[in-house]
Amino acid sequence: MNKKLKVPCLFLDRDGVINIDYGYVHTKEETVYKENLSILLEIAKKKQIMILIITNQSGIARGFFSEEVFVKYMNWLKEDLLKKFGNTFDDYFFCPHHEEAKVTKYKQKCKCRKPKPGLFQIAEKKYNIDLKKSIMIGDNFSDMEAAKKAEVKFRFLLTNKELNCSYITKRINTFNDPTLLKILSNINK
C-alpha cells in the first residue's frame, strides 16, 4: 500500500500575524503587513513548506462585512503578497461563526472557531499535513490552544508582551527569531 506522503505546513493566523490588527480588517486600504513577513514567506517557499492561513473572522457573524467581501479580500491579499514579496500563502481556512452573532446563520457554537482545532483538522485532511512537522504562528492564546489541541508540534506566540503559556514553543516578537528560523529551515529533514 502506497500512502501519499505527508507534508509539513506553516500555519499563520491572519490579523496580528500577516497584517497589523486594526480590528476586523477586510479592505486593502486597512492592510499593513507585519515587519519581516517576507523573510518568513521566502524561507517557507524555498523549503517547499505549505503555507496556510487559519483565521477566526467574527466580523462576518457580527455583520461588519459579508462572507463574499471576505473571500474577495483574501483573493486580493494572496495576489498582493505575491506582488510585493514574491511569495504568498497556498490556501486559507476561516471560521465565520460567533455565539453572539448578529447574522443569524453564523450564530452557533461551532467546532472550527479557535481555540477549537477544527480548522487545523480540515486543513490536515485536505492537504495530508504532517502536524508533527508543522508550525503555527499566532498572536493570541486561542491560536496556541487550537494548535496544541490539533497536535501541531511547534507553536510560536507573536507578541511583545511578557506572557506565560505552557503550550507554546516560544514567545517571539519578530519573524527573525533564530529559533523560529532554525526550525523552519530544518523542518523537512
Side-chain angles (χ1 to χ4, degrees):
M1 183 158 71
N2 189 6
K3 283 190 173 185
K4 186 179 171 189
L5 192 63
K6 287 187 165 249
V7 297
C9 182
L10 173 61
F11 292 105
L12 301 172
D13 181 38
R14 195 192 74 181
D15 299 321
V17 174
I18 291 178
N19 56 278
I20 295 174
D21 188 358
Y22 294 115
Y24 309 107
V25 174
H26 65 280
T27 67
K28 60 184 177 182
E29 293 78 20
E30 299 170 295
T31 304
V32 177
Y33 295 117
K34 295 288 277 195
E35 190 176 346
N36 298 317
L37 175 63
S38 61
I39 293 167
L40 191 68
L41 298 175
E42 182 181 347
I43 292 171
K45 287 299 178 180
K46 275 185 183 174
K47 297 295 182 176
Q48 298 181 324
I49 298 167
M50 179 170 282
I51 302 171
L52 298 177
I53 295 176
I54 302 287
T55 180
N56 287 345
Q57 290 296 317
S58 70
I60 296 168
R62 296 172 194 273
F64 297 149
F65 51 91
S66 68
E67 199 166 335
E68 293 74 27
V69 165
F70 172 77
V71 168
K72 186 175 179 181
Y73 172 77
M74 291 302 290
N75 291 335
W76 171 84
L77 183 68
K78 187 171 190 173
E79 291 302 314
D80 194 57
L81 287 168
L82 187 59
K83 192 184 320 173
K84 283 192 169 85
F85 303 129
N87 294 294
T88 193
F89 57 93
D90 295 292
D91 201 353
Y92 64 92
F93 297 85
F94 69 102
C95 173
H97 310 114
H98 198 279
E99 289 180 51
E100 298 172 13
K102 290 184 179 176
V103 180
T104 309
K105 74 177 185 175
Y106 299 116
K107 187 174 186 167
Q108 59 178 281
K109 193 173 184 175
C110 64
K111 294 180 181 177
C112 58
R113 184 170 176 77
K114 295 178 287 179
K116 294 182 180 152
L119 294 176
F120 290 96
Q121 293 164 340
I122 293 165
E124 177 189 23
K125 286 178 185 148
K126 181 173 182 179
Y127 290 109
N128 200 35
I129 293 170
D130 185 349
L131 295 172
K132 300 291 186 207
K133 286 188 173 184
S134 292
I135 299 168
M136 172 59 181
I137 303 175
D139 65 328
N140 286 300
F141 286 136
S142 62
D143 300 321
M144 300 298 99
E145 188 177 343
K148 180 174 175 42
K149 287 177 182 174
E151 299 182 5
V152 174
K153 183 170 184 178
F154 303 104
R155 300 173 298 275
F156 291 88
L157 183 64
L158 183 64
T159 182
N160 289 321
K161 299 174 188 167
E162 287 294 329
L163 301 169
N164 291 319
C165 177
S166 63
Y167 40 82
I168 64 171
T169 303
K170 186 176 181 189
R171 181 187 62 80
I172 59 174
N173 59 16
T174 177
F175 295 127
N176 277 332
D177 181 83
T179 304
L180 170 62
L181 296 179
K182 183 178 180 183
I183 290 171
L184 186 61
S185 294
N186 293 299
I187 204 100
N188 273 327
K189 293 181 179 179

